[in-house]
């Protein structure tokens, strides 16, 4: 994409303000000069989201992670997502991680969210989980919305707060939910733990990949149903229990 020589007076006020807001959320402080450099280089917020990773990192002040944010989020209609998630398709890990990126944008505290999906993996409703009884909250949501599929997201703003003990507690909740989901023919799609610009996937962990991955490493192929997820949960839980017993620290 070629750079544009712009008359700054002609730039849409809304574009620069939106960009300042996004950059402040990403960096945690004002980045007004960087916002103007991006606008001068690409012309509009839309063009910035259409730029390549290499083009973005060619702008002074843009890090690899911030460039990944723009390039990974680009395929989503961000405004529609921020207003209402309904109708967005989340049929792959790539789409689910992109959704998490936008859904958790500008959030600073950890929390869980449940995505209730229809048979075509389109979002019926995205709900922040706030009740103490998460199991009842999720199952009642499945019944209310007639969900055919379910995905679970978790925001962990700080990587150091992640631990095997916390993950094990989460798996215990899933093990209680899955039998009821089976009775309602509701598929548990995946659990994504989102750390800014990185993610953990429970499906990957079942396959031996427990790492945090950069957003640019998402898998784009559609999710396939896992018919033995409950037993996979049991096996992975046993692995974590043994690991905790070995290190004796709970970390």
């Amino acid at each position: 994409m070629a750079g544009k020589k712009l008359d700054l007076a002609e730039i849409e006020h809304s574009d620069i303000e939106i960009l300042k807001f996004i950059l402040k959320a990403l960096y945690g402080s004002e980045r007004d000069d960087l916002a103007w450099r991006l606008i001068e280089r690409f012309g509009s917020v839309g063009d910035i989201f259409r730029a390549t990773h290499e083009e973005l990192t060619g702008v002074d002040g843009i890090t690899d992670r911030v460039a990944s944010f723009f390039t990974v989020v680009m395929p989503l209609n961000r405004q529609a997502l921020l207003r209402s998630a309904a109708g967005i398709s989340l049929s792959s890990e790539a789409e689910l991680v992109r959704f998490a990126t936008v859904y958790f944008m500008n959030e600073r505290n950890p929390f869980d969210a449940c995505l209730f999906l229809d048979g075509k993996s389109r979002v019926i409703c995205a709900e922040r989980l706030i009740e103490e009884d998460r199991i009842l909250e999720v199952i009642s949501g499945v019944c209310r919305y007639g969900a055919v599929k379910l995905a679970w997201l978790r925001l962990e703003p700080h990587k150091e707060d992640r631990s095997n003990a916390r993950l094990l507690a989460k798996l215990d909740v899933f093990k209680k939910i899955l039998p009821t989901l089976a009775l309602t023919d509701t598929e548990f799609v995946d659990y994504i733990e989102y750390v800014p610009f990185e993610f953990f996937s429970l499906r990957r962990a079942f396959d031996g990949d427990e790492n945090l991955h950069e957003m640019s490493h998402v898998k784009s192929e559609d999710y396939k149903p896992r018919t033995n997820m409950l037993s996979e949960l049991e096996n992975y839980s046993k692995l974590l229990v043994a690991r905790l017993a070995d290190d004796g620290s709970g970390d």
Side-chain angles (χ1 to χ4, degrees), residues 77-119:
N77 184 327
R78 295 178 57 259
Q79 281 193 329
L81 177 59
L82 293 174
R83 290 185 189 136
S84 171
I88 293 174
S89 177
L90 303 177
S91 60
S92 68
E93 180 186 88
E95 291 170 340
L96 195 55
V97 172
R98 289 167 185 158
F99 184 95
T101 302
V102 181
Y103 190 80
F104 292 131
M105 182 180 174
N106 217 31
E107 296 286 350
R108 294 291 179 266
N109 298 310
F111 71 91
D112 293 81
C114 196
L115 306 181
F116 301 97
L117 313 175
D118 66 14

Side-chain angles (χ1 to χ4, degrees), residues 134-154:
R134 297 290 174 82
I135 299 171
L136 178 61
E137 190 174 12
V138 170
I139 297 303
S140 65
V142 169
C143 297
R144 285 200 315 274
Y145 302 119
V148 178
K149 300 180 181 182
L150 179 80
W152 193 302
L153 304 179
R154 169 75 179 176

Side-chain angles (χ1 to χ4, degrees), residues 20-21 71 90 116 118-119 123 187 189 223:
K20 286 179 180 179
F21 175 81
T71 55
L90 303 177
F116 301 97
D118 66 14
V123 177
E187 177 189 345
V189 177
Y223 281 121

Side-chain angles (χ1 to χ4, degrees), residues 58-85:
V59 176
D60 184 35
I62 291 292
T63 65
D64 282 333
R65 287 189 169 189
V66 171
S68 293
F69 169 85
F70 284 109
T71 55
V72 171
V73 172
M74 181 273 292
L76 290 176
N77 184 327
R78 295 178 57 259
Q79 281 193 329
L81 177 59
L82 293 174
R83 290 185 189 136
S84 171

Side-chain angles (χ1 to χ4, degrees), residues 114-172:
C114 196
L115 306 181
F116 301 97
L117 313 175
D118 66 14
K120 294 183 178 180
S121 300
R122 295 173 301 196
V123 177
I124 302 170
C125 185
E127 281 195 352
R128 184 169 180 156
L129 300 178
I130 57 176
E131 302 294 338
E132 289 187 14
D133 189 343
R134 297 290 174 82
I135 299 171
L136 178 61
E137 190 174 12
V138 170
I139 297 303
S140 65
V142 169
C143 297
R144 285 200 315 274
Y145 302 119
V148 178
K149 300 180 181 182
L150 179 80
W152 193 302
L153 304 179
R154 169 75 179 176
L155 170 65
E156 281 292 354
H158 306 293
K159 188 184 301 187
E160 60 271 19
D161 290 338
R162 300 183 69 246
S163 70
N164 286 328
R166 289 187 179 187
L167 179 56
L168 184 61
K170 188 73 66 181
L171 297 187
D172 286 341

